[in-house]
Amino acid sequence: SLRRPDRDSNPEPSPLPKPKRVLMPADAQFAVGSVVFVPDEQQAYLPKRVASCTGLGARTKLTVGPLSGSGGAAVPAKDVADVVEADPLALEGAQDMVKFSNLTEAALLHNLRTRYSRDQIYSAAGAILLSVNPFKQIPGIYTDEVTRRCQEADAKALPDLPPHVYGLSENAYRGMLGEQKQQAILISGESGAGKTEAAKACVKYICARSTGGGGVGGGAKLLRQGSHEEFVQNCIVEANPILEAFGNAKTLRNNNSSR
């Protein structure tokens, strides 16, 4: 016979608590306490915390202060229209900016500046790799360990690795083998941005990868003692300084700009 279950022995689940929301006044553009990016003459944009905000659109009156501490200053009326909400990932310095819920110029610049201050010169925006010239040598950035990490990562793990020019080169190399088609890596930027160095890093990595070397250093040894094809690859890498000597020029930002 069937028996109706006892309600006390199988109580109904209690409802989940509703998430708390920060309510914004109907007559204000930004909520008090929220973080926004405010235009700055020297830093382009700076993160600030909203101290007070009244009005909407052209009638907005905004006062902002530091992220921690007290005090505040009114935002000039000419800059209010350029104030945008700050994405939390941009404040932390995320490695992939495609995950931003609000990708703005201010968020992109602040994210790059945050990572640059930590010597993390590479950032990603989906399949696009962004690099900022550090104008110095950064230890450990082009090691055999980084090379092996890119080589050993599977198709799912490779995009999740920290952004690096070796990861971009590895992706192009796998595409060449898997699709049996020529691959292209487009490197663009203004004078002094580091395009030549990025191209060198790509060529060295692909040469080392194609010879089966354990890293860029290990691959270079194989290039000097291998077959004719490996010798040609080595010549391409070592001929780059000679080719640059015939095509360099001086620009406003770079005394030794490649041509």
Side-chain angles (χ1 to χ4, degrees), residues 83-131:
V83 176
V84 294
E85 294 183 4
D87 192 285
L89 293 178
L91 298 175
E92 299 173 2
Q95 65 181 24
D96 192 351
M97 291 179 287
V98 80
K99 298 180 181 179
F100 288 0
S101 60
N102 187 22
L103 180 56
T104 60
E105 178 184 9
L108 187 148
L109 292 176
H110 184 78
N111 191 79
L112 293 178
R113 179 167 57 239
T114 301
R115 294 180 59 80
Y116 184 82
S117 65
R118 303 195 295 247
D119 284 341
Q120 297 172 334
I121 64 172
Y122 291 115
S123 302
I128 301 175
L129 180 69
L130 294 89
S131 64

Side-chain angles (χ1 to χ4, degrees), residues 1-168:
S1 62
L2 299 178
R3 181 182 180 184
R4 181 178 298 177
D6 189 0
R7 291 186 177 181
D8 295 336
S9 61
N10 188 19
E12 296 181 359
S14 58
L16 296 176
K18 296 182 179 180
K20 296 182 179 180
R21 295 184 300 174
V22 178
L23 298 179
M24 185 183 304
D27 59 345
Q29 188 168 351
F30 300 103
V32 175
S34 62
V35 180
V36 295
F37 287 122
V38 180
D40 183 79
E41 294 182 357
Q42 296 181 349
Q43 301 294 333
Y45 294 93
L46 286 176
K48 297 289 184 178
R49 191 172 299 278
V50 177
S52 65
C53 181
T54 58
L56 295 171
R59 298 181 179 180
T60 300
K61 294 183 179 180
L62 181 64
T63 302
V64 296
L67 296 182
S68 59
S70 58
V75 177
K78 63 181 181 64
D79 293 334
V80 171
D82 295 326
V83 176
V84 294
E85 294 183 4
D87 192 285
L89 293 178
L91 298 175
E92 299 173 2
Q95 65 181 24
D96 192 351
M97 291 179 287
V98 80
K99 298 180 181 179
F100 288 0
S101 60
N102 187 22
L103 180 56
T104 60
E105 178 184 9
L108 187 148
L109 292 176
H110 184 78
N111 191 79
L112 293 178
R113 179 167 57 239
T114 301
R115 294 180 59 80
Y116 184 82
S117 65
R118 303 195 295 247
D119 284 341
Q120 297 172 334
I121 64 172
Y122 291 115
S123 302
I128 301 175
L129 180 69
L130 294 89
S131 64
V132 183
N133 194 338
F135 294 101
K136 66 177 182 180
Q137 295 294 332
I138 301 178
I141 192 172
Y142 300 116
T143 62
D144 289 350
E145 176 62 27
V146 178
T147 305
R148 282 191 291 269
R149 188 164 60 232
C150 294
Q151 292 181 9
E152 297 173 357
D154 55 27
K156 184 178 181 180
L158 185 60
D160 294 332
L161 292 177
H164 200 282
V165 67
Y166 286 175
L168 188 69

Side-chain angles (χ1 to χ4, degrees), residues 179-251:
E179 301 174 6
Q180 293 295 304
K181 294 181 180 179
Q182 297 183 12
Q183 305 291 311
I185 299 177
L186 176 62
I187 303 176
S188 63
E190 63 180 4
S191 176
K195 300 182 297 295
T196 302
E197 294 301 319
K200 289 179 182 178
C202 289
V203 172
K204 289 181 179 179
Y205 180 88
I206 294 176
C207 287
R209 185 72 168 89
S210 61
T211 59
V216 173
K221 294 180 181 179
L222 292 175
L223 289 173
R224 285 192 286 268
Q225 60 185 14
S227 63
H228 175 70
E229 290 78 6
E230 294 168 351
F231 173 76
V232 172
Q233 292 175 349
N234 191 37
C235 289
I236 294 175
V237 175
E238 295 184 353
N240 189 69
I242 300 177
L243 296 176
E244 286 190 11
F246 291 96
N248 285 11
K250 183 177 180 180
T251 64

